[in-house]
Amino acid sequence: MEYNAGRKGKYNSAFFVRNIKRRNLMFKTVLSLFIVVVLALIIAAVSNILIRGYVGLGESIRSPEIIFSLKLSLYTSVVSTALCIVFAVPIAYGLVKVNFPGKIVANSILNLPLSLPPVVSGVSLLMLFGGTEFGRSLADLGLKFVFDVKGIILAQFFVNISYMLRIVKSTLEDINPRLEFVSRTLGCTQMQSFFKVTLPLAKNGLIAGIVITWARAIGEFGAALMLVGATRMKTETLPVSLFLNMSTGDLKLAMASASIIITVSIVSLLIFEIIGLKNKSVSKIG
Amino acid sequence: MEYNAGRKGKYNSAFFVRNIKRRNLMFKTVLSLFIVVVLALIIAAVSNILIRGYVGLGESIRSPEIIFSLKLSLYTSVVSTALCIVFAVPIAYGLVKVNFPGKIVANSILNLPLSLPPVVSGVSLLMLFGGTEFGRSLADLGLKFVFDVKGIILAQFFVNISYMLRIVKSTLEDINPRLEFVSRTLGCTQMQSFFKVTLPLAKNGLIAGIVITWARAIGEFGAALMLVGATRMKTETLPVSLFLNMSTGDLKLAMASASIIITVSIVSLLIFEIIGLKNKSVSKIG
Amino acid sequence: MIEIIDLNKTLGDFRLRNINLKIEDNEYFVILGPTGTGKTVILETLAGMYKPDTGRILFDGKETLHLYPEQRNIGFVYQDYMLFPHLNVRENILFGLKLRKTSHEFMEKKLDDILKMLNIDHLEKRYPATLSGGEQQRVSIARILVLSPDIMLLDEPFSALDPRTKQEFQSELKKLHREFKTTTIHITHDFNEAFALADRICIMNKGEIIQVGTPDEIIYHPVNEFVARFIGCDTMKNVKITAV
Amino acid sequence: MIEIIDLNKTLGDFRLRNINLKIEDNEYFVILGPTGTGKTVILETLAGMYKPDTGRILFDGKETLHLYPEQRNIGFVYQDYMLFPHLNVRENILFGLKLRKTSHEFMEKKLDDILKMLNIDHLEKRYPATLSGGEQQRVSIARILVLSPDIMLLDEPFSALDPRTKQEFQSELKKLHREFKTTTIHITHDFNEAFALADRICIMNKGEIIQVGTPDEIIYHPVNEFVARFIGCDTMKNVKITAV
Amino acid sequence: GCTGSNAADTSGNQDSNDSEENTALVEENTENEAETLIVYCGAGLRKPMDEIAQIYEEKFNVKIEYSYAGSAQNLSQIELMQEGDLYVPGAYSYYESAKEKGFTENAQKVVYHIPVIAVPAGNPANITCLADLANPGVKVVLGDERSAAIGKVSQKILEKSGILEQVEENVVAKDATVNEVLVHVSMKQADACIIWEDNVSGVEEVEIVEITEENNMIKTIPVCVLTFSEKKDIAGQFSDYLVSEEGVKIFEKHGFKAITE
Ligand SMILES: Nc1ncnc2c1ncn2[C@@H]1O[C@H](COP(=O)(O)OP(=O)(O)OP(=O)(O)O)[C@@H](O)[C@H]1O
Ligand SMILES: Nc1ncnc2c1ncn2[C@@H]1O[C@H](COP(=O)(O)OP(=O)(O)OP(=O)(O)O)[C@@H](O)[C@H]1O
Ligand code: MOO
Ligand SMILES: [Mg+2]
Ligand SMILES: [Mg+2]
């Protein structure tokens, strides 16, 4: 038997050591390079907006229209994100844990809104809730979506649900099924086990999903525009107001709205980031 | 000592058993309900488009313009997705594994494009690459983005990189660091360990990220429109052609383009789904 | 009483073959066998993780096929602990009790007793990722002891403990068993442990049961050469001393 | 030679205190101690997982502080195996060899030998999630044996094996060690194992080293009551017999 | 009921006109390498402009590259890019804004852009004239007056007829571009709207109700050469072609009306 391949010292030779050092250093350099390039791109692009935007910011932040749209944006994005969580989590669980015929097809259909341009999503929702008997009966029941704030939420939900789902699903797939099983031997029903074990273990993925969904909801306007229009002080979210200003050719005002969106999202993302870190320091190894 | 709380039979009483049965059944029913509701919503909405679109489909699919934009869409979305992977993976790794000052801030900045409406992203890229000395020097070097196909790729990259990053990051966070450590004791450099252990373990998250990024790239047009315009047979992607048809009031043609996008993405998502399943059956418990 | 009747279960290439076992109430039943013979699979099937391919499992005469794991009132200690990584030691241990709506004082009292008994009171606020192997194992044992389940399934519960600690817990467990007579199925590799604890021992090999009997029967009347060789190693001399 | 000089390392509430050890080339060094005393932490520090707070670690007189784990040419068998879940048994075992650009035939030959030696040739295509505890442990051992590292760090490498298999591997390991004289640090709870394998034994408690010596020294001249009590349990009688 | 209101105010009906028509024939470009012109163009003009580009390239070996967007969005693009050759917005007023910002010096008029009332097929609210938009219970969608060219015009038209306030009460939504207005009406979400005549050409779901000439405010589509252009002569030639008989014919084919003065 030749158990002496690579015997003592072979891999420890000066050359080998230096080589590894160099390669690890290179790795770190490459990592930093990638980060710096993308950071620079984003900062350069966004700061262009901020520089132009902050000139008009003081004025526009006080206008009742901007205040209205800020509030509307926050309201609709929070509600639609909450709805996405409520739907995506159980669906993802079902898709991961339960086998049923047609699962692959169901999966692909649930991914569909991902690739629809928002305008198309908007038109299709309009057709469904505006143009069909079904939509009219819903409207009679008080669930009116066309030209209504509820429509903004619906549009954001439709446009975002697939994102949430994909992310939550991929997280759930990585959870050890034995942990859930153990919780059931300890007395959990399937649902309790889901809430007490699966969901907390999926925390990182959930946070990612919420951040993405919420950020998208704050920025979405293509679909909502189609479904509810852009009526001043009624269905005018921040991005709609931005779009309106943009198409008036009023670049300064538009950049001001954009600056507000950017500011709002920087602040919220920072908060998320900090909350995330806090949670982590509790449950991970130092 | 009272170790006899819940002695024999207590939790096995007929009532308890029936109760648990009912609750587990309820859980499954609720799961199915959620899936059915969202599936129905998506199918109803999308089929509206397909029904209208397939009328004009036969004609439009043969037009050289549609064929061109289909090809361009596939080309740009594949390239930009590849770029997103190339950048997002090392960056996510750096953000998860390496501690550096300003990490939280870097993180939030990298999330920023998430919440920018695409048009704003487009404008900011336009300012950067069209209106500055920097952009002009790049163009002199042959890296021309404005009015160029390269610009479509850049726009898709800018709009999508944050998604990819978020998803990959959350997946990497859930990987046991000891596994990487073991690979290093076996002789991997940091980079090898990354490619041979971390990356394969992040597979589920990566697939989710690729699906989302690619699907978004296929549907994106707001940012690209700003940066590269919409020149027939040159920078006309599928969604741009759809947008243009829409603005000439040609709903039928628009729905035809939409149908093509939907068809393309159903097919690709199905393929992804099937590939994903195959991979899984190899490496997971039955 | 647990009855396993003609149980067959195939997992990949592995097959549990014609398992027939009757485990009496209050019995302390130990399963011994080389690695990879299906000991863990039997426990998991009893607990409801796998559905048998054929055969029946009866608890007190009742068919269990359609009982969910949570209806079987079983405590399971996994070979690799399976602590909930998002909960600290205290929360891990109280996990089952909290589901059972017991009074707060009772819960605290019980927790205290168990923490002391297993020498882990200083770990109450720690998360599993920071615990040593033996510490995790003790938490995993504590997690089911607080529940006093009808049946305890212990998959090598002491494998990560040093001999002193192990011995302490063995006698503690024996005492508990004498007091509360919980039916226990215990997998181990340690003959000392097996012979010290078992009312009856089951020897398995390659998915089959080779012999079931009291420790004495196994030692003095092994049914075949495999059993004789399997237990007839050096430690045997020692075993006889401790077991009797 | 491995020298550990005045090593201190704090992890949460736990602290490794003033560890001083000198392990000779070719020595088989066993660490014994109650659970949670820092045995695993020492190995992980040697392997480069943790940076010492203070103190130095020298390999053959060279400072290791700035050596990456992959530069230390160490083989590490984890208490809980740590197999790569995405690779099958064959790929897990060949993981290290593939990095070293050995010839194909050499690799296959080596793989074959090891698979046979550890009795896991039938598992070659299986994934870790489907393996029993003992099977995973053997794959984890095989993964480092194929590499013939300068130093082997074994954290309870036989804890999930039945006594027969364990004994087989012990003698196999002893044989390998005699032949190739790999410096080995081995953590175990099993006194038999310790005394059968060790050139020297180190007894630890609560983050400190209590005694280092040959098996005989430890048995006949324990430095304090803790050591005496820790090793002075029933199995001792047996130990003396096997050890000598 | 319908009453013809104000007397025709010719100067108000049309955008002011300060350039002479230039129909001089363009000379063929004989170079082998095709020159390229970048043209910012209102997205609503896509059909005729695409067709013209094709013909023009064949004839004169000059490639036309469009950047289609809303006319004002085009203006933002021009402002940011500071390059390109021509600008063809949806209404004359955009030319004026561009001139103010110094992007161009003069324009030629191409065709009229005529606002009309559009109603869903079948005309459910029985709209017959502008004043009917003010009838109680009629659901009206309009373009947003800030962003859509059509929005601004509609507001002015309604103002001129003195029914702006009543109509505003009937407005169920305002839309950011003319596209959404059209979609909303064609899906029967509203009883009437005001859009451009050419928007409706080829759309079966809507019917046109013309606005009487005296109530209407007809807009003109201009073409202007940008000051940044480095190929002003070629750009000028294309501009001339657009306003030539040949160019206008193509516009007419797509529902636009030729300039008639
Ligand atoms: N999902 C599965 N697919 C294929 N084979 C499996 C699967 N689960 C278990 N096995 C095989 O079944 C056999 C029995 O496994 P089991 O875990 O019960 O062994 P064990 O007796 O507990 O061994 P140990 O003492 O090593 O833990 C093993 O050979 C294992 O590889
Ligand atoms: N990251 C950490 N944070 C806090 N405490 C830690 C951390 N890692 C280890 N510890 C503690 O350090 C002590 C020593 O751990 P170690 O794993 O070395 O024990 P051990 O001697 O290997 O025990 P065992 O035999 O049970 O495996 C334990 O009490 C453990 O809880
Ligand atoms: O092209 Mo326009 O500005 O929508 O008329
Ligand atoms: Mg097992
Ligand atoms: Mg340990």
Side-chain angles (χ1 to χ4, degrees):
Chain A
M1 281 207 283
E2 321 174 57
Y3 279 118
N4 53 350
R7 289 302 310 133
K8 182 152 290 176
K10 180 166 173 192
Y11 305 116
N12 249 330
S13 71
F15 168 75
F16 190 66
V17 169
R18 214 176 332 115
N19 200 16
I20 287 184
K21 276 248 156 72
R22 182 146 37 80
R23 277 153 75 185
N24 281 340
L25 200 70
M26 207 182 72
F27 184 63
K28 286 212 176 91
T29 316
V30 171
L31 284 192
S32 325
L33 215 75
F34 275 112
I35 295 189
V36 168
V37 166
V38 176
L39 267 184
L41 175 67
I42 295 176
I43 292 177
V46 169
S47 61
N48 262 322
I49 296 178
L50 291 180
I51 289 168
R52 292 192 188 221
Y54 275 121
V55 179
L57 194 61
E59 180 191 342
S60 65
I61 194 88
R62 265 182 304 251
S63 88
E65 188 175 341
I66 289 286
I67 292 173
F68 174 87
S69 34
L70 180 59
K71 276 190 197 158
L72 184 63
S73 276
L74 286 176
Y75 166 69
T76 52
S77 62
V78 167
V79 173
S80 75
T81 305
L83 278 177
C84 280
I85 300 171
V86 167
F87 276 84
V89 169
I91 292 181
Y93 183 86
L95 290 176
V96 172
K97 302 276 170 179
V98 185
N99 278 315
F100 54 89
K103 189 157 127 175
I104 296 184
V105 175
N107 235 322
S108 317
I109 292 176
L110 290 169
N111 278 332
L112 251 189
L114 283 178
S115 57
L116 290 183
V119 192
V120 177
S121 299
V123 174
S124 63
L125 288 175
L126 182 62
M127 287 188 197
L128 181 60
F129 289 94
T132 63
E133 206 40 62
F134 165 70
R136 273 186 287 278
S137 352
L138 272 188
D140 290 344
L141 292 171
L143 271 176
K144 191 172 172 293
F145 293 107
V146 182
F147 301 143
D148 195 287
V149 170
K150 281 197 279 300
I152 304 177
I153 295 173
L154 175 66
Q156 292 175 351
F157 174 78
F158 186 83
V159 160
N160 282 335
I161 179 74
S162 306
Y163 288 82
M164 195 68 168
L165 224 122
R166 252 284 152 197
I167 300 168
V168 176
K169 224 185 94 202
S170 89
T171 312
L172 292 186
E173 278 167 356
D174 286 338
I175 294 178
N176 187 340
R178 280 207 166 75
L179 281 173
E180 256 184 51
F181 175 67
V182 165
S183 78
R184 300 205 45 195
T185 65
L186 292 171
C188 283
T189 60
Q190 214 169 346
M191 195 179 327
Q192 285 172 323
S193 159
F194 171 67
F195 280 110
K196 284 167 183 280
V197 178
T198 317
L199 218 48
L201 288 176
K203 196 193 65 199
N204 279 329
L206 275 178
I207 291 180
I210 292 173
V211 167
I212 285 185
T213 305
W214 179 81
R216 264 180 67 81
I218 273 276
E220 141 66 23
F221 75 100
L225 214 51
M226 268 292 155
L227 191 58
V228 303
T231 314
R232 239 185 129 204
M233 304 289 273
K234 190 183 158 204
T235 56
E236 184 183 0
T237 56
L238 266 186
V240 166
S241 129
L242 183 158
F243 179 76
L244 293 181
N245 285 330
M246 186 103 151
S247 20
T248 341
D250 201 333
L251 217 53
K252 237 184 239 132
L253 256 184
M255 293 303 109
S257 315
S259 300
I260 295 175
I261 296 184
I262 293 175
T263 313
V264 168
S265 56
I266 287 189
V267 170
S268 338
L269 293 174
L270 251 173
I271 292 173
F272 252 112
E273 211 60 55
I274 290 167
I275 292 176
L277 280 189
K278 224 183 242 153
N279 271 336
K280 218 159 294 159
S281 67
V282 178
S283 64
K284 283 246 167 125
I285 331 168
Chain B
M1 281 205 283
E2 322 174 56
Y3 278 120
N4 53 351
R7 289 302 310 132
K8 180 150 289 171
K10 182 166 172 193
Y11 305 116
N12 249 330
S13 71
F15 168 76
F16 190 66
V17 169
R18 216 177 327 118
N19 200 15
I20 287 184
K21 276 247 155 73
R22 182 145 38 80
R23 277 153 74 185
N24 281 339
L25 199 72
M26 208 181 73
F27 184 63
K28 286 212 176 91
T29 316
V30 170
L31 284 191
S32 326
L33 215 74
F34 275 112
I35 296 188
V36 168
V37 167
V38 176
L39 266 184
L41 174 68
I42 295 176
I43 292 177
V46 169
S47 61
N48 263 320
I49 296 178
L50 291 180
I51 288 167
R52 291 193 187 218
Y54 276 123
V55 179
L57 193 61
E59 181 191 340
S60 64
I61 194 87
R62 265 182 305 249
S63 88
E65 188 175 342
I66 288 286
I67 292 174
F68 174 86
S69 31
L70 180 58
K71 277 190 197 157
L72 184 63
S73 275
L74 286 177
Y75 167 68
T76 53
S77 63
V78 167
V79 173
S80 76
T81 305
L83 278 178
C84 279
I85 300 172
V86 168
F87 277 84
V89 169
I91 293 181
Y93 183 86
L95 290 177
V96 171
K97 303 275 171 181
V98 185
N99 278 316
F100 55 88
K103 189 158 128 176
I104 295 183
V105 176
N107 235 321
S108 316
I109 291 177
L110 290 169
N111 277 332
L112 252 189
L114 283 179
S115 56
L116 290 183
V119 193
V120 177
S121 300
V123 172
S124 62
L125 288 176
L126 186 56
M127 287 188 202
L128 183 60
F129 290 95
T132 64
E133 207 40 62
F134 166 70
R136 273 185 287 275
S137 354
L138 272 188
D140 289 343
L141 292 172
L143 271 178
K144 190 169 174 297
F145 293 106
V146 181
F147 294 134
D148 196 287
V149 170
K150 282 197 278 303
I152 304 178
I153 295 173
L154 174 68
Q156 291 175 352
F157 173 79
F158 185 83
V159 160
N160 281 337
I161 179 73
S162 306
Y163 288 83
M164 195 69 167
L165 224 117
R166 254 280 153 200
I167 299 167
V168 176
K169 226 185 91 202
S170 89
T171 312
L172 292 185
E173 278 167 356
D174 286 338
I175 293 177
N176 188 341
R178 280 207 166 75
L179 281 174
E180 255 183 50
F181 175 68
V182 165
S183 79
R184 299 205 46 195
T185 65
L186 291 171
C188 282
T189 61
Q190 215 170 346
M191 193 177 332
Q192 287 172 322
S193 159
F194 171 68
F195 279 110
K196 286 169 182 277
V197 178
T198 317
L199 218 49
L201 288 175
K203 197 193 65 200
N204 279 328
L206 275 179
I207 291 181
I210 292 173
V211 166
I212 285 184
T213 305
W214 179 81
R216 265 181 66 83
I218 273 275
E220 142 65 24
F221 75 98
L225 203 56
M226 265 291 147
L227 191 58
V228 303
T231 310
R232 211 173 158 244
M233 304 289 273
K234 188 182 164 206
T235 57
E236 185 183 1
T237 56
L238 268 185
V240 165
S241 126
L242 183 156
F243 166 79
L244 292 178
N245 284 332
M246 196 94 158
S247 51
T248 38
D250 207 332
L251 213 55
K252 235 183 241 133
L253 257 183
M255 292 302 109
S257 315
S259 299
I260 295 175
I261 296 182
I262 293 175
T263 313
V264 169
S265 56
I266 288 189
V267 171
S268 337
L269 292 174
L270 250 174
I271 292 173
F272 253 111
E273 210 60 56
I274 290 167
I275 293 175
L277 279 188
K278 227 183 239 153
N279 271 336
K280 217 159 296 160
S281 68
V282 178
S283 64
K284 283 248 167 122
I285 331 167
Chain C
M1 194 171 68
I2 304 171
E3 282 167 287
I4 304 178
I5 303 167
D6 285 335
L7 176 72
N8 280 280
K9 175 74 197 171
T10 304
L11 285 168
D13 293 336
F14 173 78
R15 191 165 151 220
L16 269 189
R17 252 174 304 212
N18 298 320
I19 302 295
N20 279 289
L21 271 182
K22 218 178 256 183
I23 295 158
E24 301 296 332
D25 278 349
N26 317 333
E27 189 166 4
Y28 203 111
F29 193 84
V30 170
I31 302 182
L32 272 173
T35 98
T37 35
K39 305 184 292 296
T40 303
V41 172
I42 286 197
L43 289 204
E44 287 186 329
T45 311
L46 277 177
M49 170 110 175
Y50 298 120
K51 269 215 171 76
D53 295 340
T54 66
R56 301 160 20 127
I57 298 174
L58 309 179
F59 286 3
D60 294 335
K62 274 181 302 184
E63 178 60 66
T64 59
L65 192 61
H66 300 292
L67 285 186
Y68 295 111
E70 64 267 32
Q71 296 174 309
R72 300 181 182 205
N73 201 21
I74 269 175
F76 200 127
V77 172
Y78 255 104
Q79 200 166 0
D80 42 2
Y81 334 129
M82 288 288 155
L83 298 181
F84 301 121
H86 61 296
L87 301 179
N88 66 22
V89 169
R90 179 195 166 81
E91 291 159 343
N92 260 289
I93 297 177
L94 290 183
F95 189 91
L97 267 190
K98 280 201 182 138
L99 294 167
R100 281 167 173 71
K101 302 194 185 60
T102 45
S103 79
H104 184 74
E105 300 86 60
F106 176 78
M107 214 159 73
E108 288 297 333
K109 170 90 176 62
K110 197 126 188 187
L111 177 72
D112 247 36
D113 289 347
I114 296 269
L115 283 174
K116 286 221 187 72
M117 174 180 137
L118 295 174
N119 264 328
I120 43 176
D121 25 358
H122 58 297
L123 302 175
E124 210 180 322
K125 296 271 168 269
R126 291 266 288 280
Y127 283 83
T130 72
L131 297 180
S132 80
E135 288 164 348
Q136 289 186 60
Q137 196 159 49
R138 282 176 282 164
V139 176
S140 170
I141 296 171
R143 189 168 59 174
I144 70 155
L145 282 186
V146 288
L147 293 181
S148 334
D150 291 345
I151 301 168
M152 294 210 286
L153 305 179
L154 312 176
D155 195 352
E156 307 189 24
F158 304 139
S159 64
L161 301 179
D162 59 283
R164 273 208 84 70
T165 318
K166 191 190 285 199
Q167 260 206 341
E168 253 170 58
F169 292 171
Q170 274 174 23
S171 38
E172 199 70 39
L173 203 63
K174 192 85 197 167
K175 220 171 68 196
L176 282 180
H177 184 254
R178 260 192 231 109
E179 194 171 344
F180 299 109
K181 311 215 174 337
T182 315
T183 311
T184 305
I185 305 181
H186 179 130
I187 296 180
T188 181
H189 289 133
D190 183 336
F191 293 134
N192 284 325
E193 196 172 305
F195 292 97
L197 291 170
D199 292 327
R200 281 192 303 155
I201 291 176
C202 159
I203 309 273
M204 287 186 67
N205 193 26
K206 296 191 181 153
E208 284 181 299
I209 291 179
I210 310 295
Q211 182 171 9
V212 181
T214 62
D216 280 356
E217 279 169 15
I218 300 272
I219 296 175
Y220 297 111
H221 308 289
V223 290
N224 63 15
E225 215 188 331
F226 167 79
V227 178
R229 257 196 296 128
F230 186 65
I231 59 168
C233 59
D234 296 1
T235 29
M236 273 304 296
K237 293 163 208 147
N238 179 39
V239 160
K240 281 182 222 160
I241 302 162
T242 11
V244 189
Chain D
M1 194 171 66
I2 305 171
E3 282 166 287
I4 304 177
I5 303 168
D6 285 334
L7 176 73
N8 280 280
K9 176 74 197 171
T10 304
L11 285 169
D13 293 336
F14 173 77
R15 189 165 152 219
L16 269 189
R17 252 173 304 208
N18 299 319
I19 302 295
N20 279 289
L21 270 182
K22 219 180 257 184
I23 296 159
E24 300 297 330
D25 278 349
N26 316 335
E27 189 166 6
Y28 203 111
F29 193 83
V30 169
I31 302 181
L32 272 173
T35 98
T37 35
K39 305 185 293 295
T40 303
V41 172
I42 287 197
L43 290 203
E44 287 186 330
T45 311
L46 277 176
M49 170 110 176
Y50 299 119
K51 270 217 168 78
D53 294 340
T54 67
R56 302 160 20 129
I57 298 174
L58 309 179
F59 286 4
D60 293 334
K62 275 181 301 185
E63 178 60 67
T64 59
L65 191 61
H66 300 291
L67 286 186
Y68 296 110
E70 65 266 33
Q71 296 174 308
R72 301 183 180 204
N73 202 20
I74 269 175
F76 201 127
V77 173
Y78 257 104
Q79 200 168 359
D80 42 1
Y81 334 128
M82 286 289 154
L83 298 181
F84 301 121
H86 60 295
L87 302 178
N88 66 22
V89 168
R90 178 194 166 82
E91 293 159 343
N92 259 288
I93 297 177
L94 290 183
F95 189 93
L97 268 190
K98 280 199 183 140
L99 293 167
R100 281 168 173 72
K101 304 194 183 58
T102 45
S103 78
H104 184 73
E105 300 86 59
F106 175 78
M107 211 158 75
E108 289 297 333
K109 170 89 176 60
K110 197 125 187 187
L111 179 71
D112 248 36
D113 288 346
I114 297 269
L115 284 174
K116 286 220 188 73
M117 173 180 137
L118 295 175
N119 263 328
I120 43 176
D121 26 358
H122 57 297
L123 302 175
E124 210 180 321
K125 297 271 168 270
R126 291 264 291 278
Y127 283 83
T130 72
L131 296 179
S132 81
E135 287 164 349
Q136 288 185 60
Q137 197 158 49
R138 280 176 283 165
V139 176
S140 170
I141 296 172
R143 187 168 60 174
I144 71 154
L145 281 186
V146 288
L147 293 182
S148 333
D150 292 344
I151 301 167
M152 294 211 284
L153 304 179
L154 313 176
D155 195 352
E156 306 189 24
F158 303 139
S159 64
L161 301 179
D162 59 284
R164 272 206 85 72
T165 317
K166 191 190 288 198
Q167 259 207 341
E168 253 169 57
F169 291 171
Q170 274 173 23
S171 38
E172 200 69 39
L173 203 64
K174 191 84 196 166
K175 220 170 69 196
L176 282 180
H177 183 253
R178 260 193 232 111
E179 194 172 344
F180 299 109
K181 310 215 175 336
T182 314
T183 312
T184 306
I185 306 180
H186 179 131
I187 296 180
T188 181
H189 288 132
D190 183 336
F191 292 135
N192 284 326
E193 197 172 303
F195 291 97
L197 291 170
D199 293 327
R200 281 191 304 156
I201 292 176
C202 160
I203 309 272
M204 287 186 65
N205 194 25
K206 297 192 181 152
E208 284 182 299
I209 292 179
I210 310 294
Q211 182 170 9
V212 182
T214 62
D216 280 355
E217 279 168 13
I218 301 272
I219 297 174
Y220 298 112
H221 307 289
V223 289
N224 62 14
E225 215 189 332
F226 168 79
V227 177
R229 256 194 297 126
F230 186 66
I231 59 167
C233 59
D234 297 2
T235 30
M236 273 305 295
K237 292 163 209 148
N238 178 40
V239 160
K240 281 182 222 159
I241 301 161
T242 13
V244 187
Chain E
C2 303
T3 50
S5 59
N6 309 18
D9 172 357
T10 28
S11 68
N13 281 349
Q14 298 171 7
D15 290 300
S16 59
N17 177 3
D18 60 350
S19 79
E20 286 178 20
E21 279 197 7
N22 184 352
T23 48
L25 273 177
V26 192
E27 279 186 31
E28 216 167 306
N29 188 333
T30 45
E31 287 166 67
N32 290 333
E33 188 71 4
E35 288 280 356
T36 304
L37 290 177
I38 291 172
V39 181
Y40 300 91
C41 184
L45 311 177
R46 183 195 183 208
K47 284 183 191 166
M49 293 300 275
D50 267 355
E51 192 170 335
I52 287 170
Q54 233 173 334
I55 295 169
Y56 197 77
E57 189 184 344
E58 271 167 33
K59 269 197 170 163
F60 303 102
N61 195 28
V62 172
K63 253 205 160 105
I64 313 292
E65 290 190 355
Y66 293 114
S67 179
Y68 290 116
S71 307
Q73 236 167 313
N74 278 330
L75 210 53
S76 310
Q77 260 181 326
I78 296 170
E79 186 173 348
L80 295 170
M81 308 263 301
Q82 312 270 329
E83 66 172 269
D85 303 299
L86 294 122
Y87 177 33
V88 188
Y92 207 79
S93 58
Y94 291 106
Y95 154 67
E96 280 152 4
S97 313
K99 190 174 174 183
E100 224 167 83
K101 295 187 178 186
F103 302 154
T104 182
E105 270 147 17
N106 51 49
Q108 303 187 74
K109 294 178 172 177
V110 186
V111 284
Y112 289 133
H113 218 186
I114 303 171
V116 293
I117 296 170
V119 297
N123 197 354
N126 206 14
I127 306 291
T128 57
C129 66
L130 191 63
D132 283 346
L133 295 187
N135 290 347
V138 174
K139 287 188 281 179
V140 178
V141 284
L142 294 177
D144 183 86
E145 62 272 16
R146 292 160 301 167
S147 71
I150 193 66
K152 208 194 274 178
V153 183
S154 325
Q155 196 178 32
K156 287 218 179 104
I157 291 172
L158 293 171
E159 219 163 16
K160 200 170 78 175
S161 303
I163 54 171
L164 179 61
E165 274 182 29
Q166 293 100 296
V167 174
E168 284 276 5
E169 274 175 27
N170 284 343
V171 168
V172 286
K174 288 198 176 170
D175 286 325
T177 73
V178 75
N179 307 331
E180 285 113 45
V181 181
L182 179 61
V183 170
H184 283 146
V185 167
S186 65
M187 300 213 149
K188 301 189 172 58
Q189 295 306 307
D191 300 322
C193 67
I194 300 177
I195 53 177
W196 305 114
E197 187 176 22
D198 54 276
N199 292 145
V200 187
S201 93
V203 179
E204 293 154 16
E205 291 90 347
V206 294
E207 292 172 9
I208 289 181
V209 176
E210 303 234 7
I211 300 173
T212 49
E213 206 167 311
E214 66 271 20
N215 286 336
N216 211 347
M217 298 174 77
I218 290 166
K219 293 286 164 182
T220 306
I221 291 169
V223 49
C224 39
V225 175
L226 297 176
T227 45
F228 328 106
S229 175
E230 286 157 3
K231 312 164 190 166
K232 289 215 176 63
D233 47 338
I234 310 176
Q237 286 165 9
F238 181 66
S239 169
D240 291 342
Y241 182 80
L242 282 185
V243 301
S244 73
E245 214 172 306
E246 215 176 323
V248 170
K249 274 245 170 58
I250 298 173
F251 272 97
E252 280 181 318
K253 203 170 98 188
H254 290 282
F256 294 83
K257 288 242 159 59
I259 307 272
T260 57
E261 38 181 302

